[in-house]
Amino acid sequence: MNICKLVLECIEQYPEDEPIFIEDIKKYVIEQCKNDNKQESILKNINVILNRLKNEGIIKAEYKGVYYKPIITMFGEMGLDQRKLIQLKYLKDREGNIKGYVVGAKLFNKLGLTTLVPNVTDIVTNECKYHKQYDKRLRVYIIRPKIEITNENYRYLQFIDILDNKDNIPIDAQNADEIIYSIIEECNLDFEKIIKYARITNNRKVLDKLFVLAR
C-alpha cells in the first residue's frame, strides 16, 4: 500500500483554507490499511510524509498537528481562517456534533448584554483535558465541562453558564434580564431540563436564581 498516495488522497478531499488535522489523516490512512499488521510503522511514515509535503509547499503547518492547503492570490498567500479552526477544534466536528460552546464576555457581547469587547474567547469544550487551558495561538481559553457536552444538552449548559456569569461580567444593557430569559423561548428550552442540568452540574447559585424565577 502506497502510504504517500493515501495521505495525498486524504488531503485532496479538503478545500483550500480548511483546517486538516493530523488525527483525521491518520484515521483515513489506517482505515484504508485496516488489514495491514504494520500500523505503528504506517503512523510513523505519515509524520515523515507530512513533513516532506510541508517542505515542498503542498501543505502548510498552522501549528502542531494542524495543516492546510494555502491559497495564493494576487496579494500573496492567505493564511488559515482562524474562525474555521476554532470551530472545528473546539466547537463542532465535521459531522456536526457539538463539542463546545462560547461563554463569558464574548458571548455577553454577542447577546447585547455588554459593550465590552474581549480580545480572548472563553470556550467550554470536551477537548479540554484539564480545568482550564490557554491556547495562545488562537487566543482562546478552553474550559473543561462538568459533564460531557452533546447536541442535546449544550444549549442548556450554555444558558446555565450565562446565569452563573451574570454577576461576574460588567453588564450595561438596561434590559439584561429580559435578554437573558428570552433565550429560553428563542432556544425552546424546557424549564424543568434547565433545573435538571443545574442539579447535575451542582450549580447551587443558578438553582437559587431559577427557583426565584419560577415563583
Side-chain angles (χ1 to χ4, degrees), residues 24-172:
D24 293 334
I25 297 173
K26 290 180 177 179
K27 181 180 177 181
Y28 176 85
V29 174
I30 290 298
E31 180 63 26
Q32 305 305 311
C33 303
K34 56 186 175 183
N35 296 323
D36 196 313
N37 59 5
K38 298 180 180 178
Q39 291 191 0
E40 186 175 342
S41 176
I42 290 171
L43 293 175
K44 289 181 180 178
N45 284 338
I46 291 173
N47 291 325
V48 173
I49 291 166
L50 289 173
N51 193 53
R52 186 170 74 241
L53 294 176
K54 184 181 69 173
N55 292 336
E56 292 173 359
I58 295 174
I59 56 174
K60 294 280 186 176
E62 180 64 14
Y63 58 58
K64 186 178 180 180
V66 182
Y67 301 89
Y68 67 99
K69 296 188 292 186
I71 300 175
I72 307 299
T73 70
M74 60 182 296
F75 302 106
E77 182 182 307
M78 289 179 59
L80 182 62
D81 188 328
Q82 302 297 296
R83 291 171 300 177
K84 285 184 181 179
L85 181 52
I86 291 172
Q87 175 84 0
L88 288 169
K89 191 171 179 63
Y90 297 126
L91 298 173
K92 184 192 296 186
D93 66 23
R94 297 186 196 277
E95 286 72 46
N97 297 308
I98 302 295
K99 56 183 177 179
Y101 54 85
V102 176
V103 292
K106 183 79 77 173
L107 176 62
F108 276 47
N109 179 267
K110 183 178 179 181
L111 293 172
L113 290 166
T114 181
T115 54
L116 179 68
V117 183
N119 55 15
V120 174
T121 302
D122 296 312
I123 297 176
V124 180
T125 175
N126 295 335
E127 297 298 320
C128 184
K129 306 306 179 186
Y130 304 99
H131 175 65
K132 190 172 185 178
Q133 299 168 254
Y134 182 54
D135 187 329
K136 185 177 180 180
R137 180 68 183 79
L138 295 177
R139 299 173 75 179
V140 166
Y141 272 110
I142 59 173
I143 304 160
R144 186 174 64 185
K146 293 181 179 178
I147 62 173
E148 183 180 7
I149 299 166
T150 67
N151 291 355
E152 290 71 35
N153 69 19
Y154 80 97
R155 289 198 180 278
Y156 289 96
L157 298 178
Q158 186 178 48
F159 182 72
I160 288 168
D161 281 342
I162 290 172
L163 291 180
D164 194 28
N165 290 323
K166 182 174 179 288
D167 302 326
N168 303 324
I169 298 173
I171 293 177
D172 42 40

